[in-house]
């Protein structure tokens, strides 16, 4: 199948078609990095995952054995289950915060709103490690304000890092870290809408709320889909925040808390490189499938609406 | 006349709710930074049992002494980490941007055989979680004896499929084909056409991709944690994380280490925060590029 558009455009591109390698030349430097640091690690991980290493037996070919082990391994499955639950709860909260902030900032042009835009965005410029360290201190009964605050009402402060509360503690850190970045993307998309649309709606008697929900939100749906994909990919590969909180969590963050932490521990604490590769590769597949399903569903839904 | 008086009245009411909402957001997003600043001014004693509570200054203002201790601690290893972070993020970020600009322009402006297929592969790779590549990359690097060198951090940071995607989307619209054809007719070579005609038109997207990749490398934790074991090569993220684990594991002995972690965290966020504040007009428009398609 030739692309009809390319055929139609061909006459004006004669010079390029005579030297088709020029396009490749521009792409080649990136292509090399792509092959060496994306394709090669994937292929190598897959290769390693087909072998097992035993103390007595040495390295032996085990085919799909590692994958059968991974997908029946309660530690890997509990990690996968955790990140899926985390994504399902985190993403709507994060969307709500960033969308609400962007809509308000889009409607205002005061000095306070300009300052708020920067203040909300600032956490994006702060490394996740430092963000997590700060919240870790704030959660701590020794360093944080919680003990003092709860003393006022004669209550003992909640242990945010305990195994019952750690989910909420991590949720807060991630919302704080990323809501501003998503807010800026939504805000910029809102700024791109033609304001005459609002004028027309106002003349038809639409309230500001109706304009926001019926015009602005549908107009930025592609920005929302982009953000959802980012958030989904980011959450499923959750690593830095729980890893940094781990030393102060008194064991509520285990070595299989998320799939990436599990793979890291398997590789660097237990030297099980073959099984760690299996876990990494399996995680990659799970994320790829999850994102693909999400994109397919959102395209179908949007197609049905328009 | 009625419309003139009615419009501000109708606008005023939601403005109060909106401003209260904004103030709440500002407090929430700046609270940890306020805490960090206040805590950096305390001595170890004050950090634990400060008189003013966690969110206010202690009676001693110890910021300069804390910085001084950071400078001398273990031969100033913290500032070595900071320098490493700068080196990795500049080389990695600039490199990734150069590759993305070239490739994005190639995809956008040259109809060659296999273009649609390779771009589809690229788009698919945006969905691959890059951290799932860390452990395989580590093992590949250790085969090549590259682990524990600066290249183990810099080279994988050059990979930015999303940057290529952004550059392609931007170049397709911002660089008119007619302009390129005119330059070619005038006898300009492809490289010269790229540098003199296309590149200046792509500048806003270049700055955005540069910022995104510099931030990505500066903030990276998983990759350097996996591929580096020599403390002298650590970036600041891995260094601070290590201090935190050390301080937590020997409770009492870690007392003074906590002040170093706090003041070190404060200093580590200054460069990027300044970069973002001063480059506002670039990234505010640029970050929405990916959402155009």
């Amino acid at each position: 199948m030739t692309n009809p558009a390319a055929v139609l455009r061909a006459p004006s591109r004669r010079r390029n078609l005579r030297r088709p390698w020029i396009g490749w030349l521009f792409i080649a430097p990136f292509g090399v990095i792509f092959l060496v640091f994306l394709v090669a690690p994937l292929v190598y991980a897959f290769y390693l995952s087909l072998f097992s290493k035993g103390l007595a037996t040495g390295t032996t070919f085990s085919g799909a054995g590692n994958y059968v082990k991974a997908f029946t391994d309660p530690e890997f499955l509990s990690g996968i289950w955790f990140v899926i639950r985390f994504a399902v709860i985190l993403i709507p909260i994060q969307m709500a915060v960033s969308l609400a902030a962007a809509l308000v900032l889009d409607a205002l042009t005061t000095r306070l709103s300009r300052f708020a835009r920067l203040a909300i965005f600032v956490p994006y410029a702060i490394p996740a490690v430092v963000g997590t360290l700060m919240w870790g201190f704030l959660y701590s009964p020794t360093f944080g304000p919680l003990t003092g605050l709860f003393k006022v009402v004669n209550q003992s402060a909640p242990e945010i890092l305990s195994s019952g509360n750690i989910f909420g503690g991590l949720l807060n850190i991630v919302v704080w870290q990323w809501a501003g970045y998503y807010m800026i993307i939504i805000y910029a998309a809102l700024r791109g809408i033609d304001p005459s649309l609002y004028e027309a709606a106002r003349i038809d008697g639409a309230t500001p709320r109706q304009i926001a929900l019926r015009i602005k939100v549908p107009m930025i749906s592609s920005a929302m889909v982009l953000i959802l994909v980012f958030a989904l990919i980011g959450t499923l590969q959750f690593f830095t925040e729980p890893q940094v909180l781990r030393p102060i969590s008194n064991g509520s963050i285990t070595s299989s808390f998320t799939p990436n932490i599990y793979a890291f521990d398997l590789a660097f604490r237990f030297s099980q490189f073959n099984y760690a590769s299996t876990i990494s590769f399996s995680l990659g597949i799970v994320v790829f499938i999850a994102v693909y399903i999400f994109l397919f569903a959102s395209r179908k839904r949007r197609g049905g609406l328009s | 006349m009625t419309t003139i008086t009615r419009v501000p009245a109708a606008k005023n009411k939601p403005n109060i709710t909106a401003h209260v909402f904004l103030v709440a957001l500002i407090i929430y997003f700046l609270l940890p930074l306020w805490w960090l600043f206040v805590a950096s001014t305390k001595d170890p004693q004050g950090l634990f049992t400060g008189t003013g509570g966690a969110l206010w200054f202690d009676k001693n203002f110890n910021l300069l002494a804390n910085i001084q201790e950071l400078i001398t601690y273990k031969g100033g290893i913290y500032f070595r980490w900071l320098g490493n972070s700068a080196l990795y993020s500049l080389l990695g970020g600039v490199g990734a941007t150069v590759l993305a600009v070239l490739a994005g322009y190639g995809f956008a402006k040259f109809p060659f055989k296999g273009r649609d297929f390779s771009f589809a592969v690229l788009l698919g790779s945006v969905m691959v979680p890059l951290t799932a590549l860390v452990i395989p990359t580590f093992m590949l690097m250790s085969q090549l004896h590259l682990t524990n060198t600066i290249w183990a951090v810099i080279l994988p940071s050059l990979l930015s499929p999303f940057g290529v995607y952004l550059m392609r989307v931007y170049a397709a619209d911002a660089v008119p084909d007619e302009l390129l054809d005119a330059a070619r007719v005038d006898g300009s070579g492809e490289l010269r056409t790229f540098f003199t005609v296309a590149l200046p038109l792509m500048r806003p997207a270049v700055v955005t991709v540069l910022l995104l990749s510099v931030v990505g490398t500066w903030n990276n934790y998983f990759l350097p944690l996996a591929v580096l074991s020599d403390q002298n090569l650590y970036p600041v993220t891995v260094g601070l994380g290590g201090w935190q684990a050390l301080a937590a594991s020997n409770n009492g002995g870690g007392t003074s280490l906590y002040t170093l972690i706090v003041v070190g965290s404060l200093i580590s966020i200054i460069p990027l925060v300044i970069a973002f504040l001063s480059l506002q007009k670039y990234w505010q428009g640029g970050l929405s590029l990916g959402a155009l398609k």
Side-chain angles (χ1 to χ4, degrees):
Chain A
M1 266 301 271
T2 43
N3 183 350
V7 174
L8 280 176
R9 261 183 290 148
S12 66
R13 295 288 179 83
R14 224 177 309 131
R15 291 176 69 92
N16 289 333
L17 287 182
R18 233 187 301 149
R19 293 179 296 171
W21 43 268
I22 288 181
W24 282 113
L25 273 189
F26 277 99
I27 292 162
F30 173 79
V32 170
I33 293 291
F34 187 86
L35 289 177
V36 175
F37 291 105
L38 195 129
V39 178
L42 280 179
V43 171
Y44 191 52
F46 182 67
Y47 170 78
L48 285 173
S49 72
L50 300 177
F51 294 86
S52 295
K53 201 173 188 176
L55 276 178
T57 52
T59 305
T60 50
F61 182 78
S62 58
N66 277 326
Y67 289 94
V68 173
K69 186 177 162 195
F71 283 96
T72 53
D73 179 347
E75 302 207 68
F76 176 59
L77 293 178
S78 78
I80 290 277
W81 176 231
F82 172 81
V83 288
I84 290 176
R85 260 187 314 151
F86 198 76
V88 167
I89 296 175
L90 168 80
I91 293 174
I93 297 176
Q94 210 164 29
M95 289 301 110
V97 172
S98 44
L99 181 63
L103 284 171
V104 169
L105 290 174
D106 182 52
L108 298 174
T109 45
T110 57
R111 200 173 295 165
L112 182 82
S113 76
R114 274 194 295 277
F115 178 70
R117 202 167 65 212
L118 288 179
I120 298 168
F121 182 73
V122 149
Y124 174 70
I126 292 169
V129 170
V130 174
T132 309
L133 285 176
M134 287 193 289
W135 281 108
F137 279 115
L138 285 167
Y139 291 162
S140 142
T142 324
F143 300 106
L146 289 174
T147 310
L149 280 177
F150 278 81
K151 211 179 262 167
V152 178
V153 288
N154 261 329
Q155 298 271 319
S156 58
E159 290 273 352
I160 297 183
L161 294 173
S162 69
S163 56
N165 294 334
I166 191 82
F167 193 93
L170 286 167
L171 214 56
N172 172 55
I173 297 176
V174 179
V175 169
W176 180 84
Q177 189 94 50
W178 289 97
Y181 177 63
Y182 298 148
M183 178 276 291
I184 286 287
I185 294 180
I186 300 174
Y187 174 79
L190 285 171
R191 292 268 113 178
I193 302 175
D194 181 2
S196 65
L197 275 176
Y198 309 149
E199 200 48 51
R202 247 192 303 265
I203 291 168
D204 287 346
T207 63
R209 182 176 306 226
Q210 283 174 321
I211 291 176
L213 294 180
R214 303 264 173 84
I215 298 179
K216 291 184 179 180
V217 173
M219 290 288 286
I220 55 164
S221 60
S222 64
M224 298 292 282
V225 170
L226 178 85
I227 292 170
L228 280 167
V229 170
F230 281 168
L232 191 61
I233 297 175
T235 315
L236 295 179
Q237 50 180 330
F238 208 24
F239 177 78
T240 302
E241 290 83 353
Q243 177 75 8
V244 172
L245 280 186
R246 214 166 142 189
I248 57 169
S249 73
N250 286 321
S252 53
I253 293 174
T254 60
S255 73
S256 57
F257 195 70
T258 71
N260 256 336
I261 288 187
Y262 190 39
F264 183 82
D265 268 29
L266 283 173
F268 295 105
R269 268 173 73 182
F270 306 112
S271 298
Q272 295 186 27
F273 289 105
N274 296 88
Y275 192 44
S277 299
T278 313
I279 296 292
S280 286
F281 200 81
S282 307
L283 173 68
I285 292 170
V286 168
V287 174
F288 197 86
I289 292 173
V291 174
Y292 199 81
I293 290 174
F294 171 78
L295 280 179
F296 187 74
S298 75
R299 195 163 298 163
K300 211 172 163 189
R301 214 174 89 93
R302 281 198 293 158
L305 280 175
S306 61
Chain B
M1 193 62 214
T2 41
T3 45
I4 291 171
T5 48
R6 224 178 52 206
V7 168
K11 263 192 168 172
N12 254 342
K13 210 178 169 192
N15 271 1
I16 293 172
T17 343
H19 278 105
V20 169
F21 175 64
L22 286 186
V23 169
L25 286 178
I26 292 171
I27 292 174
Y28 170 67
F29 283 99
L30 293 186
L31 178 81
L33 297 175
W34 171 252
W35 174 85
L36 185 66
F37 175 66
V38 168
S40 319
T41 68
K42 295 177 179 175
D43 56 22
Q45 203 75 46
L47 201 56
F48 279 92
T49 54
T51 47
L55 295 174
W56 197 249
F57 299 96
D58 198 23
K59 50 188 187 299
N60 300 326
F61 190 85
N62 220 37
L63 179 61
L64 292 178
N66 288 342
I67 294 176
Q68 202 129 49
E69 202 191 334
L70 194 64
I71 292 172
T72 51
Y73 185 77
K74 285 203 176 164
I77 194 160
Y78 171 82
F79 288 90
R80 206 186 156 113
W81 295 340
L82 211 55
N84 290 339
S85 279
L87 178 75
Y88 301 157
S89 52
L90 279 180
L91 287 182
V94 171
T97 309
V98 170
L99 298 186
V101 172
L102 288 173
Y105 176 72
F107 274 122
K109 293 297 163 190
F110 295 90
F112 54 86
K113 219 175 167 188
R115 178 175 76 163
D116 292 344
F117 174 73
S118 38
F119 193 68
V121 170
L122 179 93
L123 274 186
S125 75
V126 173
M127 293 181 228
V128 175
L130 289 180
T131 60
L133 297 174
V134 167
I135 288 165
T137 303
F138 164 80
M139 286 184 284
L140 209 57
M141 295 261 203
S142 71
Q143 293 289 317
L144 304 169
H145 303 287
L146 274 174
T147 46
N148 225 1
T149 65
I150 63 170
W151 304 111
V153 181
I154 294 171
L155 291 177
S157 304
L158 297 178
L159 178 72
S160 172
F162 186 65
V164 177
Y165 166 74
L166 281 184
M167 290 314 309
R168 186 213 159 130
V169 171
Y170 193 82
D173 292 340
V175 184
D177 289 333
E178 295 74 23
L179 218 57
L180 297 179
D181 284 339
R184 286 174 190 138
V185 169
D186 287 347
S188 164
E190 287 300 338
L191 265 185
R192 216 182 109 198
T193 310
F194 169 72
F195 280 110
T196 56
V197 180
L199 195 57
L201 293 169
M202 292 159 76
R203 203 175 61 180
V206 174
V207 176
T208 305
V209 171
L210 183 66
L211 263 178
L212 286 176
S213 19
V214 168
V215 171
T217 319
W218 181 277
N219 292 355
N220 203 349
Y221 176 67
F222 196 3
L223 176 75
L225 183 69
V227 298
L228 299 176
S229 51
D230 179 358
Q231 288 212 1
N232 287 318
L233 295 177
Y234 281 179
V236 75
T237 50
V238 177
L240 286 174
W243 274 358
Q244 160 87 342
L246 203 63
S249 64
N250 56 348
N251 292 314
T255 308
S256 69
L257 206 47
Y258 279 121
T259 50
L260 292 182
I261 294 169
V262 169
V263 78
S265 297
L266 179 71
I267 293 176
S268 77
I269 65 176
I270 293 173
L272 278 199
V273 169
I274 290 179
F276 268 100
L277 293 184
S278 51
L279 292 170
Q280 264 186 72
K281 66 170 183 189
Y282 289 103
W283 55 260
Q284 291 204 345
L287 287 182
S288 66
L289 285 177
L292 291 177
K293 281 242 160 139

